[in-house]
Amino acid sequence: MSKDLDEQYMRLALRLALRGAGRTSPNPMVGAVLVHHRKIIATGYHRRAGEDHAEIAALKRAGEKARGATLYLNLEPCDHHGRTPPCTLSVIRAGVRKVVAGMVDPNPQVRGRGIRRLRRAGIEIRVGVLEAECRTINEAFGKYINRRIPFVILKLAASLDGRIATATGDSHWITEVGSRKYVHRLRNQVDALIVGAGTAVADDPQLTCRIPGGRNPMRMVLDARLRIPVTARLFHQREPEKTIVVTGPRAPLKKIQTIRSLGSQVWSFQTREGGIPFAPVLKKLGRMGLLSIMIEGGAVTATRALRERVVDKVLFFYAPKLIGGDGKPMLESLNIKKMRFCRQLKNVTIQRFGKDFLVSGYL
């Protein structure tokens, strides 16, 4: 098979993998394509944790046609017992001739074991096709499987001069419809959303995913003093148990009981410098098997996340508007005194959404 064809089939595997976005945690997103004599005979993807892995789904569809075929996967086949048996055994039994994997599995329980088993069985192996793309779609899994805490995305929307609202607090709408639709696509893919108490009180957000066929992530408010009113829309959504309020030890017990009676969760942590520290929250989310979270505001919460160095990726949407110095800034002080101490973004990309543009990068 030519390099171009290998990349073509791997791109299809990646598109299939993304169908499971937001639904496979704590597992990675994986797509599979079976090809025989340059003809696709079956495809599959991992739909959700506990169900068939991508290669198993494709092999079941292919049946006997899988014998002698080439299997394309964006991630190395697993070779250990989890909720499901090792996929390598099924690949070998099916008589697959060649496996093309986008990347080695970062899971310490796998990390090359699947590839070695397949090679010992006489299956031809190629690894590293579109490796950068394969690593990107499972960047959250890569962090989680090694550190057991979620991948953290910081998303902010601002005017061109870095303001997230006017002096009166008006922020609807800074960005255009295209940008907001993209945010809902992101909500469909991440496991949880986080906002601070200020955003929860001022904006009364729903933090839901409003795209056809989308699913709602967990919704979390960091509220050290439990300021959020019990009438907030977050407590009156479908699946109220997906709303979590994280508060401090001095929060009023009666209000905690009321929120819990509405079906939502309340967690309590010791505060630090008047706010909820991220480290214990991330550890608890990791124990729940959540791979990715997106911080959606506001400036206080965003700044705290950056100060505590928990942010892995930033998504900053900018609208071609000017609000002025009396507007609310997107970030508060990071206590940076010298330019050489600035937080530097890596692998920066820029996308357009109508008149808006998105700057993304990694910290």
Side-chain angles (χ1 to χ4, degrees), residues 19 36 40 58 66 78 84-85 112 140 153 176 210 254 310 347 351:
R19 293 184 183 179
H36 207 333
I40 296 173
C78 72
T84 57
I153 301 165
E176 291 190 337
R210 295 186 286 278
K254 186 174 181 181
V310 299
N347 302 325
Q351 295 172 255

Side-chain angles (χ1 to χ4, degrees), residues 160-270:
L160 202 58
D161 54 346
R163 306 290 156 171
I164 59 174
T166 66
T168 64
D170 181 26
S171 62
H172 293 88
W173 292 99
I174 289 180
T175 54
E176 291 190 337
V177 172
S179 298
R180 301 200 296 274
K181 283 184 177 179
Y182 183 70
V183 170
H184 283 283
R185 285 165 53 193
L186 293 172
R187 288 180 178 182
N188 181 51
Q189 295 177 2
V190 299
D191 293 325
L193 304 175
I194 293 182
V195 296
T199 297
V201 172
D203 296 348
D204 192 18
Q206 297 181 73
L207 300 182
T208 53
C209 171
R210 295 186 286 278
I211 61 172
R215 69 93 179 88
N216 291 328
M218 302 288 288
R219 305 173 286 264
M220 179 173 284
V221 181
L222 303 184
D223 188 354
R225 291 181 288 146
L226 203 56
R227 292 190 289 137
I228 186 172
V230 296
T231 55
R233 292 192 294 178
L234 284 172
F235 301 129
H236 303 280
Q237 306 291 336
R238 289 185 299 112
E239 302 172 296
E241 70 281 359
K242 282 192 169 185
T243 296
I244 304 169
V245 180
V246 186
T247 192
R250 296 184 179 180
L253 181 59
K254 186 174 181 181
K255 193 170 184 181
I256 291 174
Q257 292 171 337
T258 300
I259 291 171
R260 285 176 174 160
S261 73
L262 294 171
S264 297
Q265 303 179 55
V266 180
W267 298 353
S268 181
F269 289 101
Q270 290 296 325

Side-chain angles (χ1 to χ4, degrees), residues 110-359:
V110 185
R111 203 170 286 170
R113 279 179 49 182
I115 290 167
R116 290 193 292 273
R117 182 187 286 270
L118 295 176
R119 279 202 174 111
R120 288 197 300 269
I123 296 174
E124 184 183 347
I125 300 290
R126 184 184 176 197
V127 182
V129 176
L130 299 183
E131 184 171 4
E133 291 91 330
C134 293
R135 288 190 181 280
T136 296
I137 74 159
N138 275 314
E139 59 194 6
F141 174 74
K143 178 185 178 182
Y144 171 83
I145 204 64
N146 286 287
R147 295 180 56 192
R148 295 294 170 180
I149 57 175
F151 187 86
V152 179
I153 301 165
L154 172 60
K155 189 277 293 183
L156 292 172
S159 61
L160 202 58
D161 54 346
R163 306 290 156 171
I164 59 174
T166 66
T168 64
D170 181 26
S171 62
H172 293 88
W173 292 99
I174 289 180
T175 54
E176 291 190 337
V177 172
S179 298
R180 301 200 296 274
K181 283 184 177 179
Y182 183 70
V183 170
H184 283 283
R185 285 165 53 193
L186 293 172
R187 288 180 178 182
N188 181 51
Q189 295 177 2
V190 299
D191 293 325
L193 304 175
I194 293 182
V195 296
T199 297
V201 172
D203 296 348
D204 192 18
Q206 297 181 73
L207 300 182
T208 53
C209 171
R210 295 186 286 278
I211 61 172
R215 69 93 179 88
N216 291 328
M218 302 288 288
R219 305 173 286 264
M220 179 173 284
V221 181
L222 303 184
D223 188 354
R225 291 181 288 146
L226 203 56
R227 292 190 289 137
I228 186 172
V230 296
T231 55
R233 292 192 294 178
L234 284 172
F235 301 129
H236 303 280
Q237 306 291 336
R238 289 185 299 112
E239 302 172 296
E241 70 281 359
K242 282 192 169 185
T243 296
I244 304 169
V245 180
V246 186
T247 192
R250 296 184 179 180
L253 181 59
K254 186 174 181 181
K255 193 170 184 181
I256 291 174
Q257 292 171 337
T258 300
I259 291 171
R260 285 176 174 160
S261 73
L262 294 171
S264 297
Q265 303 179 55
V266 180
W267 298 353
S268 181
F269 289 101
Q270 290 296 325
T271 58
R272 189 168 67 220
E273 296 177 355
I276 304 294
F278 274 93
V281 175
L282 294 179
K283 286 179 182 177
K284 186 162 183 174
L285 291 173
R287 289 194 294 270
M288 293 169 59
L290 274 63
L291 298 190
S292 59
I293 66 169
M294 185 162 67
I295 300 170
E296 292 210 26
V300 173
T301 302
T303 302
R304 178 176 287 274
L306 289 168
R307 281 182 181 173
E308 295 181 17
R309 295 183 178 271
V310 299
V311 177
D312 297 293
K313 184 177 186 178
V314 300
L315 300 174
F316 289 171
F317 290 86
Y318 288 98
K321 301 172 182 177
L322 300 175
I323 293 176
D326 60 341
K328 297 183 181 298
M330 62 195 299
L331 294 174
E332 297 195 337
S333 172
L334 293 174
N335 295 319
I336 294 171
K337 308 299 183 186
K338 300 281 187 179
M339 285 301 297
R340 66 176 181 270
F341 299 132
C342 289
R343 304 295 302 279
Q344 185 72 45
L345 295 185
K346 296 170 285 189
N347 302 325
V348 174
T349 60
I350 300 175
Q351 295 172 255
R352 290 291 299 268
F353 292 93
K355 296 177 182 177
D356 303 334
F357 58 94
L358 166 63
V359 177

